[in-house]
């Protein structure tokens, strides 16, 4: 009989802990997704953060750690963009649903692949299971200029129908490189 | 006598002390649990209120707040930097979705080739490359039945992007074929006799099936060959029917073969099994 009352409290505690975690994550996600800081603001923050640090305790990460981490991430990103030719110029995401192991986020993305601009939006469903995270794309919408190649709109419809985001980028990459080659070849012969 | 009487009294006092101690412990435990629950309830209520305020603030500014927003509590510099870090991490994760990501390492570059089939992301494969004195593969997680060495010999030194592109074609096609076979096995097990037979590269499949979905007879026999390692649809599909099967079934085999050549495996069987089309 007495054990029951402990169980009741322990169950309540567990459910509260889960709810707290979910609420805290929701708050953080919304903060992240609704803010925007320009590169100048970021630079200013780095500078003033380093000045502030003089008095702060050693327990938290030092500003030089954070700065180093940020620089390392930006180096990685810059390498990838240069190598692949894919430059993301605008990106926003919004968490639409987050329950237990399921997360659905709506993404809006714009950029250039070599000199071909693209704009797209999609929903990303992620399901966490014990060993891994599975990811599925739905509601893919692509906006692209048709340019000189008339088959582009057919290509785009087929991509959208099957959520083929990965083949889209790979085809875009090949096509953009081919355009570059052609442009360089024409210039060469001018 | 006095002694046994004293002993009894002592024993009773001892038992009483133990019971009291146990009761006190139970009280303490209960108080602790109540305290913790109370603490958590408060914290939860605080968070709910915070979220409501945040919602009001965000809706008031059409969902986008800039750092100039007078209503938003001025975030600390640390918070701004952490925001930027999460932002950059998000972009790096997007590269995963494009099929090719990676980073520089001490000795060269480590690439990650991701694969997907119709919007579902599947396996990723790693290639750890050294770049000096020549580009060479140091380590990788590409399966042995993918002709990695042959592709490397052809393209790695001359055009690394082309190497990665062709390798990605092979890997995506392989994973796509495997995924279709898995889906067929999983979602149409009532239509299949036993398990699908396949090789490691999943470019040769043999199975017996029916279109009724009832686990009785499996009149059809299919053999699919995927002659192009970079494609996930078969180049050859042969469907035969058991001798003695009714005529409509025997006549349907050509249509079945055409469906397997044209559609992903699981979708082909789905189409062939839909009540409208079934000959049986």
């Amino acid at each position: 009989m007495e054990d029951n009352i402990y169980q009741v409290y322990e169950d309540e505690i567990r459910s509260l802990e889960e709810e707290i975690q979910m609420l805290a994550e929701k708050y953080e996600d919304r903060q992240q997704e609704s803010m925007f800081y320009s590169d100048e603001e970021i630079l200013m923050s780095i500078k003033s953060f380093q000045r502030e640090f003089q008095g702060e305790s050693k327990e938290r990460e030092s500003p030089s750690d954070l700065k180093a981490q940020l620089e390392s991430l930006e180096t990685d990103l810059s390498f990838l963009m240069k190598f692949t030719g894919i430059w993301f110029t605008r990106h926003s995401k919004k968490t639409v649903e987050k329950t237990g192991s399921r997360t659905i986020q709506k993404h809006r993305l714009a950029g250039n692949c070599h000199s071909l601009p693209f704009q797209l939006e999609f929903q990303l469903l992620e399901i966490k299971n014990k060993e891994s995270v599975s990811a599925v794309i739905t509601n893919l919408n692509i906006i692209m200029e048709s340019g000189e190649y008339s088959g582009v709109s057919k290509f785009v419809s087929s991509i959208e129908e099957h959520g083929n985001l990965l083949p889209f980028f790979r085809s875009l990459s090949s096509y953009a490189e081919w355009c570059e080659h052609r442009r360089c070849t024409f210039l060469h012969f001018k | 006598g006095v002694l046994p009487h004293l002993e009894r009294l002592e024993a009773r006092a001892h038992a009483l002390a133990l019971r009291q101690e146990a009761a006190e412990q139970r009280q303490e435990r209960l108080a602790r649990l109540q305290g913790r629950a109370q603490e958590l309830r408060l914290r939860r209520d605080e968070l709910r209120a915070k979220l409501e305020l945040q919602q009001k603030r965000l809706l008031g500014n059409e969902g986008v707040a800039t750092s100039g927003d007078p209503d938003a509590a001025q975030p600390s510099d640390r918070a701004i930097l952490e925001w930027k870090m999460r932002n950059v991490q998000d972009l790096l994760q997007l590269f995963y979705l494009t099929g090719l990501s990676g980073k520089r390492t001490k000795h060269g570059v480590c690439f990650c080739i991701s694969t997907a089939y119709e919007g579902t992301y599947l396996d990723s494969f790693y290639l750890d490359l050294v770049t000096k004195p020549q580009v060479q593969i140091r380590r990788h997680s590409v399966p042995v039945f993918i002709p990695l060495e042959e592709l490397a010999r052809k393209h790695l030194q001359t055009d690394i992007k082309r190497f990665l592109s062709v390798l990605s074609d092979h890997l995506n096609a392989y994973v796509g074929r495997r995924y279709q076979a898995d889906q067929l096995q999983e979602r149409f097990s009532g239509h299949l006799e036993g398990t699908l037979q396949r090789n490691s590269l999943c470019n040769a499949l043999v199975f017996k099936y029916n279109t009724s979905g009832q686990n009785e007879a499996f009149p059809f026999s299919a053999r699919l060959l995927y002659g192009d390692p970079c494609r996930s649809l078969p180049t050859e599909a042969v469907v035969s029917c058991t001798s003695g099967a009714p005529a409509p079934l025997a006549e349907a085999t050509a249509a079945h073969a055409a469906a397997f050549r044209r559609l992903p495996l699981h979708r082909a069987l789905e189409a062939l099994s839909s009540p409208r089309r079934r000959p049986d």
Side-chain angles (χ1 to χ4, degrees), chain B:
Chain B
V2 173
L3 215 51
H5 183 63
L6 280 177
E7 280 174 0
R8 271 200 309 273
L9 281 175
E10 200 182 335
R12 263 220 305 235
H14 183 66
L16 195 66
L18 281 177
R19 275 208 300 276
Q20 268 187 321
E21 203 181 319
E24 275 168 28
Q25 280 180 344
R26 284 197 300 272
Q27 292 278 60
E28 273 176 43
R29 186 175 167 197
L30 199 62
R32 259 202 321 269
L33 288 174
Q34 284 171 325
R36 176 100 178 111
Q38 176 74 334
E39 214 184 287
L40 289 176
R41 254 179 260 131
L42 279 173
R43 173 103 184 101
R44 191 266 318 266
D45 294 341
E46 260 173 38
L47 278 173
R48 279 186 180 164
K50 210 171 157 189
L51 269 167
E52 258 190 64
L53 274 177
Q54 183 193 48
Q55 180 76 332
K56 285 203 185 94
R57 199 178 70 228
L58 292 180
L59 284 178
N61 290 297
E62 289 171 287
V64 177
T66 64
S67 57
D69 178 31
D71 291 335
Q74 186 54 32
S76 65
D77 294 310
R78 173 189 289 274
I80 293 179
L81 288 179
E82 286 172 350
W83 174 88
K84 180 66 177 172
M85 265 175 51
R86 263 181 84 162
N87 201 271
V88 177
Q89 277 164 339
D90 286 345
L91 288 179
L92 282 168
Q93 277 174 1
L94 280 178
F95 270 100
Y96 179 83
L97 296 178
T98 68
L100 183 63
S101 53
K103 60 200 278 186
R104 271 216 235 272
T105 59
K106 281 195 308 277
H107 35 252
V109 190
C110 185
F111 285 108
C112 171
I113 295 180
S114 34
T115 61
Y117 189 74
E118 294 193 340
T120 300
Y121 282 80
L122 302 161
D123 304 25
S124 12
F125 302 92
Y126 291 87
L127 270 172
D128 192 10
L129 303 177
V130 267
T131 46
K132 294 190 172 65
Q134 304 177 305
V135 185
Q136 271 181 319
I137 300 175
R138 191 169 168 255
R139 277 188 311 202
H140 66 87
S141 67
V142 175
V144 301
F145 40 81
I146 303 282
L148 182 64
E149 285 77 31
E150 188 189 312
L151 294 175
R153 241 182 301 127
K154 266 195 212 151
H155 306 290
L156 192 56
Q157 308 297 327
T158 49
D159 189 344
I160 189 173
K161 280 191 214 166
R162 186 155 168 71
F163 166 73
L164 290 170
S165 177
V166 177
L167 181 58
S168 175
D169 287 342
H170 274 82
L171 289 170
N172 267 284
Y174 153 65
V175 170
R177 295 189 300 264
R178 196 190 66 199
Y179 178 75
Q180 289 173 66
D182 289 343
Q183 287 289 296
L184 189 70
Q185 190 68 65
E186 223 174 270
R187 286 161 48 185
F188 292 90
S189 48
H191 295 256
L192 294 175
E193 183 183 72
T195 49
L196 209 66
Q197 281 177 60
R198 51 166 118 172
N199 59 352
S200 349
L201 195 47
C202 285
N203 63 352
L205 298 179
V206 173
F207 54 96
K208 284 201 160 80
Y209 66 99
N210 62 40
T211 52
S212 62
Q214 259 99 78
N215 247 314
E216 338 133 332
F218 302 95
F220 296 106
S221 182
R223 205 182 67 218
L224 304 179
L225 285 174
Y226 299 75
D228 185 346
C230 294
R231 290 194 61 214
S232 55
L233 282 176
T235 48
E236 232 182 275
V238 177
V239 177
S240 58
C241 201
T242 49
S243 56
L249 263 64
E251 284 159 20
T253 56
H256 283 211
F260 286 130
R261 275 195 301 271
R262 206 187 67 234
L263 294 170
L265 204 49
H266 47 297
R267 272 215 271 292
L269 194 52
E270 188 171 28
L272 294 174
S273 308
S274 74
R276 227 169 11 98
R277 294 206 45 192
R278 281 209 316 257
D280 53 316

Side-chain angles (χ1 to χ4, degrees), chain A residues 2-3 5-6 9-10 12-14 16-17 19-24 26-39 41-42 44-46 48-49 52 56 60-63 66-67 69-70 72-77 79-88 91 93 107 109 114 122 124 134-138 162-167 169-170 174 177, chain B residues 25-27 29-30 32-34 36-41 43-45 47-48 50-51 54-55 57-58 63-68 72-104 109-111 114-122 159-161 164-166 168-169 172 267:
Chain A
E2 275 180 8
D3 285 343
I5 196 170
Y6 295 136
Y9 276 113
E10 278 169 1
E12 189 188 354
I13 286 172
R14 205 175 9 248
L16 281 167
E17 282 172 341
E19 192 183 352
I20 286 172
Q21 186 185 13
M22 184 215 57
L23 289 170
K26 198 169 180 185
Y27 182 80
E28 287 306 318
D29 284 345
R30 288 211 190 139
Q31 279 297 96
Q32 182 74 21
E33 292 162 10
S34 63
M35 295 302 178
F36 180 78
Y37 300 102
S38 65
D39 287 338
E41 286 167 310
I42 306 285
M44 271 167 29
S45 287
I46 295 178
S48 89
F49 191 39
E52 262 172 59
E56 213 172 296
R60 302 184 79 188
E61 269 175 312
S62 74
L66 268 184
K67 184 174 175 215
Q69 274 180 40
L70 184 57
S72 158
L73 285 171
E74 286 185 319
T75 306
D76 290 343
L77 187 61
F79 165 72
L80 267 180
M81 296 217 222
K82 284 207 191 85
F83 185 84
T84 60
I86 297 173
W87 293 79
F88 296 128
H91 172 233
K93 75 174 188 190
H107 290 255
L109 187 59
H114 296 281
F122 58 91
L124 180 64
S134 73
V136 181
I137 302 273
T138 56
H162 295 119
N164 275 338
L165 187 63
L166 190 151
F169 275 110
R170 297 200 38 259
S174 307
E177 266 188 68
Chain B
Q25 280 180 344
R26 284 197 300 272
Q27 292 278 60
R29 186 175 167 197
L30 199 62
R32 259 202 321 269
L33 288 174
Q34 284 171 325
R36 176 100 178 111
Q38 176 74 334
E39 214 184 287
L40 289 176
R41 254 179 260 131
R43 173 103 184 101
R44 191 266 318 266
D45 294 341
L47 278 173
R48 279 186 180 164
K50 210 171 157 189
L51 269 167
Q54 183 193 48
Q55 180 76 332
R57 199 178 70 228
L58 292 180
V64 177
T66 64
S67 57
Q74 186 54 32
S76 65
D77 294 310
R78 173 189 289 274
I80 293 179
L81 288 179
E82 286 172 350
W83 174 88
K84 180 66 177 172
M85 265 175 51
R86 263 181 84 162
N87 201 271
V88 177
Q89 277 164 339
D90 286 345
L91 288 179
L92 282 168
Q93 277 174 1
L94 280 178
F95 270 100
Y96 179 83
L97 296 178
T98 68
L100 183 63
S101 53
K103 60 200 278 186
R104 271 216 235 272
V109 190
C110 185
F111 285 108
S114 34
T115 61
Y117 189 74
E118 294 193 340
T120 300
Y121 282 80
L122 302 161
D159 189 344
I160 189 173
K161 280 191 214 166
L164 290 170
S165 177
V166 177
S168 175
D169 287 342
N172 267 284
R267 272 215 271 292

Side-chain angles (χ1 to χ4, degrees), chain A:
Chain A
M1 237 258 291
E2 275 180 8
D3 285 343
N4 262 350
I5 196 170
Y6 295 136
Q7 194 60 46
V8 166
Y9 276 113
E10 278 169 1
D11 287 344
E12 189 188 354
I13 286 172
R14 205 175 9 248
S15 120
L16 281 167
E17 282 172 341
E18 277 173 20
E19 192 183 352
I20 286 172
Q21 186 185 13
M22 184 215 57
L23 289 170
E25 277 179 13
K26 198 169 180 185
Y27 182 80
E28 287 306 318
D29 284 345
R30 288 211 190 139
Q31 279 297 96
Q32 182 74 21
E33 292 162 10
S34 63
M35 295 302 178
F36 180 78
Y37 300 102
S38 65
D39 287 338
E40 293 84 47
E41 286 167 310
I42 306 285
L43 277 173
M44 271 167 29
S45 287
I46 295 178
K47 288 206 185 91
S48 89
F49 191 39
Q50 283 181 309
R51 281 196 304 269
E52 262 172 59
F53 181 66
Q54 305 309 330
E56 213 172 296
S57 78
K58 302 280 181 188
E59 279 158 21
R60 302 184 79 188
E61 269 175 312
S62 74
S64 44
D65 289 338
L66 268 184
K67 184 174 175 215
Q69 274 180 40
L70 184 57
E71 279 172 358
S72 158
L73 285 171
E74 286 185 319
T75 306
D76 290 343
L77 187 61
S78 164
F79 165 72
L80 267 180
M81 296 217 222
K82 284 207 191 85
F83 185 84
T84 60
I86 297 173
W87 293 79
F88 296 128
T89 50
R90 227 171 40 243
H91 172 233
S92 73
K93 75 174 188 190
K94 192 165 151 57
T95 303
V96 162
E97 182 191 309
K98 196 167 185 173
T99 52
S101 54
R102 248 173 92 99
T103 306
I104 300 183
Q105 291 173 321
K106 184 164 182 198
H107 290 255
R108 281 214 173 96
L109 187 59
N112 296 299
C113 186
H114 296 281
S115 50
L116 273 180
F118 62 85
Q119 211 178 309
L120 46 93
E121 58 181 39
F122 58 91
Q123 287 201 339
L124 180 64
L125 161 64
E126 285 180 298
I127 302 179
K128 269 195 205 64
N129 50 44
K130 269 176 293 176
E131 317 121 343
S132 57
V133 181
S134 73
V136 181
I137 302 273
T138 56
N139 303 61
L140 178 57
N141 267 316
I142 301 179
I143 302 168
M144 269 203 87
E145 298 169 7
S146 324
E148 313 144 1
Y149 184 49
S150 62
V152 169
S153 54
K154 233 173 97 183
F155 165 69
V156 166
S157 305
S158 140
I159 293 271
E160 286 175 338
E161 191 188 332
H162 295 119
N164 275 338
L165 187 63
L166 190 151
F168 170 74
F169 275 110
R170 297 200 38 259
S171 305
L172 194 66
S173 208
S174 307
Y175 178 58
E177 266 188 68
W178 176 81
C179 286
E180 265 300 295
H181 268 258
R182 225 170 62 133
R183 199 178 61 88
C184 293
T185 311
F186 283 167
L187 283 177
H188 177 81
F189 284 114
K190 256 188 165 167

